[in-house]
Each structure stands twice: as C-alpha cells, then as structure tokens.
C-alpha cells in the first residue's frame, strides 16, 4: 500500500476532499497513517493550547533606558572615531612631511624654507595691519567706532562658537540627521 | 493598523522616540512571545525583544508602509532569534531535564499548572529539534496565523520553501511525538475512534 498521498494529506493539514471517506477508511485500517494522524492532531492541539507569553512589567521603560544608553554610546563612538580619524590624518601628514624632507633635500634646507615662509607670513600680516590702521586713521572717530564695534563683536562671537564646537565634538559627538 | 498607530509611526520616523515608545508598548507581547518560543528562555527572550525594537527603531526609515508593521517587526525578531540560535547552538535536553515553568493560568490549580508546564516543556522539546528557520515558520503559522506569503516575506523565503519547511517541521514533530508519547497516542486514538474507523 502506498502511504505517501495519505501522509501528505495528514501532514499538510489541507482541507478534506471528496475522497474524505476513502482517506478515513485508510486511516481505520492503516496503523502507520492513523498514528501519524493522531500525532499531528495532538501536536497542533498542544501548540494552540499554550498560553501567550508576556514580558515582565516595565518592558517599555526598560526599552527607553536601553535606547538612551545606546544613543549615548553611539554618539561616543562617533566622536571617538572622529578624533581618531583626525589624529590619523595628522599622523599621515607628518609622515608625508618627513618623507618629503628625507627625499627632497636636507633637514636644514627644509627648516630654512619653513622659517622663510613664517617670516614672510608675519611680514605680510604686519603690512596688512599697517594698511588697515592707516586707512582707519584717515576716517573720523565716530566712523572708527562704528567699524570697530561690529568687527570685534563678530570675531568674538565666531571665536566662542569655535571653542564651543571643539568642546562638543569629544563630549557629545556629531549629530547626524 | 489604526490611525493612532500610523500617527505614532509617522512621528517615530521623524525621530520622536516617545512616539516609538507607544509602539513598543503596543507590540511588546507579540514580539516577546515570538522570541520566547524561538529561544525558550525568558531572559533571552527579553533581551531579544529589546534588541528587536532597537533594530526596528534604527531602521524605521527603511520600513515600507505598504507592508504590515506587525509582520515587519516579527520578521526582525525572527531573524535575530535565528541568528542567536545558530550562534549559541542550544544543546538538546532530555524531557526530564527541562524545567516545568509554563506560564501560570488565570485560575491555576496545581494539576493544571503541572499539566500546562509539562505540555509547554513537551512542545519546547519538539520545537528544539527543528532548524531555526523551520521553527520560526511554525511559530508564525500557529501563534500568529500568518499566511505562507507573509511567512515567506518575513523570513525571505519563497512560498514553496515555506510550504516545504512547514511540512518537514510538522512531520518531524509528529514523528518525535509518536516516539516520546506512545501511550498518549494509543489513548487519543481510542478516544477519537468513530464508526468511520
């Protein structure tokens, strides 16, 4: 006797067909299929009778705590990554400078070049400062004040923003929307 | 999904964690239940359910509103539990070693509690023999009444793969049941005997 169609019907749990009588007839005579039928029915009955499990009270507040903790940790990791990235970039730049010194001239010539650049920059800034002061001295006192007050305010504000931004990076990370 | 839930979801997608907490409150039981049935341990289920909601919150922007939100959540939970099961490779225990800690009934009698615990332990034992994906498919079918299509979408399987996994799982559970409960099988058969037999 081929049990396959009966086993498939029993295990699939598909709706009974027109051949229901024939299939039940087979179940009454075949011990193997009737055992399978009973087992499938019993397993399904037991699965369906089991209660729905609920979490312990306070699940949502525990989730809130977890979310706050994970968000803080994510920000911390992000700021650490940023700092490590900046440090790595600085190290790379230093390595490139050293390589450049080693392969393109002596350290002394590179140092002299660096000093020349610094002196040129300082002299350039001094010239610019003198030009600005000379221009300001030519205008009346009231206009001078009107120029200085907004300039110092703007630069003071920008400086403070810059300091606060630098302080926020390692402490609070960078918020990405 | 109700209008209120849709609103919570919309607000949560805009980054409102308080709105998402409402969603956690609403769906905690189905998610926890799936995790418990997958992992068989209350603490592991709690951790898995918490992780599920965290992952859902993180990937909320990728949620497609055309899909059922509950199925999407259960899909995240199932995938996480499948990974956990594969990673931990829970050892199969004998039926005698399993704790009889079934959930208490609303009106428990000692006999009822013990009987429920035994049934729970027996089913857990049967489920433990299934492959993680087969187990997830069985849980989604029997406890959540999901269709083959929904189970397929949740587990990234084709409908025919879902059908064959469910078939294999039912067959395996029935065979194990026959082996572990020969006396019950005979008794039930006698009880179900009808003129047709």
């Amino acid at each position: 006797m081929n049990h396959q169609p009966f086993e498939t019907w029993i295990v699939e749990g598909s709706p009974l067909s027109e051949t229901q009588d024939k299939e039940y007839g087979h179940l009454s005579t075949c011990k193997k299929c009737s055992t399978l039928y009973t087992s499938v029915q019993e397993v399904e009955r037991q699965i369906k009778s089991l209660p729905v499990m609920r979490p312990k009270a306070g699940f949502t507040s525990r989730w809130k705590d977890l979310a706050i903790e994970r968000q803080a940790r994510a920000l911390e990791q992000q700021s650490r990554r940023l700092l490590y990235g900046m440090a790595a970039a600085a190290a790379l730049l230093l390595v490139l400078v050293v390589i450049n010194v080693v392969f393109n001239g002596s350290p002394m010539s590179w140092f002299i070049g660096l000093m020349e650049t610094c002196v040129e920059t300082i002299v350039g800034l001094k010239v610019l400062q003198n030009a600005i002061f000379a221009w300001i001295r030519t205008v009346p006192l009231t206009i001078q004040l009107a120029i200085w007050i907004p300039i110092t305010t703007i630069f003071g504000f920008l400086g403070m923003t810059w300091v606060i931004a630098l302080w926020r990076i390692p402490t609070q990370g960078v918020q990405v929307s | 999904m109700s209008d209120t839930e849709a609103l919570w979801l919309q607000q949560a997608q805009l980054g409102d964690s308080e709105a998402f907490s409402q969603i956690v409150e609403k769906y905690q039981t189905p998610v926890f239940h799936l995790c418990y049935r997958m992992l068989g341990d209350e603490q592991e289920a709690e951790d898995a359910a918490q992780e599920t909601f965290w992952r859902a919150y993180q990937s909320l922007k990728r949620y497609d509103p055309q899909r059922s939100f509950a199925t999407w959540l259960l899909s995240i939970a199932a995938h996480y539990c499948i990974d956990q099961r594969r990673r931990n490779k829970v050892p199969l225990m004998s039926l005698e070693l399993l704790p009889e800690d079934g959930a208490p009934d609303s009106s428990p009698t000692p006999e009822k509690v013990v009987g429920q615990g035994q049934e729970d332990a027996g089913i857990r034992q049967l489920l433990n023999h299934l492959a993680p994906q087969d187990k997830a498919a069985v849980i989604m079918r029997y406890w959540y009444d999901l269709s083959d299509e929904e189970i397929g979408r949740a587990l990234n399987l084709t409908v025919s793969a879902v059908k064959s996994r469910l078939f294999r799982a039912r067959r395996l559970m029935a065979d194990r049941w026959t082996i572990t409960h020969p006396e019950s099988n005979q008794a039930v058969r006698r009880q179900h005997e009808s003129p047709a037999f």
Side-chain angles (χ1 to χ4, degrees):
Chain A
M1 179 77 198
N2 181 15
H3 300 280
Q4 191 60 45
F6 300 102
E7 286 181 0
T8 306
W9 165 70
I10 290 165
V11 178
E12 273 182 352
S14 48
L16 301 182
S17 62
E18 294 165 355
T19 55
Q20 184 180 352
D21 288 341
K22 189 182 161 194
E23 283 152 353
Y24 268 121
H26 175 76
L27 285 181
S28 64
T29 54
C30 176
K31 193 176 175 230
K32 191 183 171 201
C33 288
S34 69
T35 303
L36 178 66
Y37 177 78
T38 310
S39 296
V40 168
Q41 296 294 310
E42 190 59 17
V43 166
E44 288 194 352
R45 186 193 67 75
Q46 290 218 3
I47 287 178
K48 285 173 182 169
S49 71
L50 289 179
V52 170
M53 299 298 290
R54 294 172 199 286
K56 285 183 192 143
F59 181 88
T60 308
S61 64
R62 288 195 295 282
W63 184 81
K64 281 181 187 172
D65 293 343
L66 177 100
I68 290 167
E69 185 196 313
R70 292 223 174 150
Q71 274 166 342
R73 206 188 304 158
L75 281 174
E76 201 179 290
Q77 281 174 349
Q78 193 190 34
S79 59
R80 205 178 299 145
R81 273 200 301 270
L82 188 71
L83 281 178
Y84 288 160
M86 284 162 72
L92 183 68
L93 191 67
L94 188 68
V95 168
L96 288 174
V97 167
V98 170
I99 289 170
N100 187 40
V101 168
V102 170
F103 290 102
N104 302 318
S106 66
M108 187 51 78
S109 66
W110 194 82
F111 179 72
I112 292 166
L114 181 70
M115 291 308 288
E116 279 174 0
T117 309
C118 288
V119 170
E120 277 169 19
T121 310
I122 291 166
V123 169
L125 286 173
K126 192 72 183 165
V127 168
L128 183 69
Q129 187 193 11
N130 289 339
I132 291 169
F133 278 129
W135 177 73
I136 287 171
R137 270 186 226 107
T138 59
V139 292
L141 183 66
T142 47
I143 300 175
Q144 282 180 34
L145 279 173
I147 293 168
W148 278 118
I149 289 170
I151 287 175
T152 48
T153 309
I154 288 167
F155 276 96
F157 178 74
L158 286 175
M160 271 185 63
T161 312
W162 182 61
V163 169
I164 290 169
L166 283 180
W167 169 75
R168 279 170 65 101
I169 289 171
T171 54
Q172 295 176 32
V174 181
Q175 193 81 48
V176 181
S177 61
Chain B
M1 181 183 269
S2 69
D3 289 348
T4 321
E5 284 171 50
L7 186 68
W8 288 338
L9 201 56
Q10 218 172 9
Q11 288 171 338
Q13 281 176 322
L14 295 171
D16 183 348
S17 62
E18 200 52 46
F20 193 76
S21 298
Q22 302 287 341
I23 291 172
V24 174
E25 186 68 34
K26 166 88 183 166
Y27 289 98
Q28 56 176 297
T29 301
V31 170
F32 177 84
H33 180 75
L34 181 126
C35 296
Y36 180 79
R37 292 296 166 205
M38 281 295 290
L39 302 169
D41 178 82
E42 212 169 317
Q43 188 51 52
E44 278 186 67
E46 162 90 15
D47 293 344
Q50 294 277 357
E51 184 64 34
T52 299
F53 283 112
W54 173 252
R55 288 182 178 195
Y57 184 57
Q58 291 292 97
S59 49
L60 211 51
K61 282 179 181 159
R62 290 202 295 274
Y63 165 65
D64 174 12
Q66 303 299 316
R67 277 181 70 179
S68 151
F69 183 70
T71 310
W72 182 70
L73 260 184
L74 293 177
S75 158
I76 296 173
H79 281 292
Y80 179 75
C81 293
I82 288 168
D83 287 346
Q84 285 297 104
R85 284 255 307 171
R86 283 185 182 145
R87 206 169 293 148
N88 296 342
K89 269 272 167 216
V90 180
L92 300 175
M93 291 180 282
S94 80
L95 200 55
E96 290 75 26
L97 292 173
L98 282 166
E100 294 173 357
D101 58 352
D105 192 273
S106 53
S107 57
T109 61
E111 295 80 11
K112 206 169 180 181
V113 169
V114 170
Q116 189 73 73
Q118 279 171 343
E119 281 190 351
D120 198 355
I123 291 300
R124 258 190 292 164
Q125 173 79 348
L126 289 178
L127 288 172
N128 269 347
H129 283 89
L130 302 178
Q133 273 199 323
D134 296 3
K135 190 175 178 177
V138 166
I139 292 167
M140 286 178 169
R141 165 55 49 84
Y142 286 113
W143 276 292
Y144 298 91
D145 283 330
L146 297 191
S147 65
D148 291 344
E149 288 78 13
E150 286 171 314
I151 295 172
R153 268 200 300 272
L155 299 176
N156 296 334
L157 295 170
T158 60
V159 172
S160 58
V162 172
K163 281 182 198 292
S164 81
R165 277 173 188 277
L166 283 172
F167 184 89
R168 190 170 60 196
R170 281 197 198 107
R171 179 79 214 220
L172 189 75
M173 288 196 295
D175 288 346
R176 289 208 68 83
W177 179 264
T178 309
I179 293 165
T180 51
H181 298 77
E183 71 299 329
S184 155
N185 208 294
Q186 282 164 2
V188 173
R189 204 183 312 148
R190 273 197 300 274
Q191 195 184 355
H192 284 240
E193 262 176 0
S194 68
F197 276 79

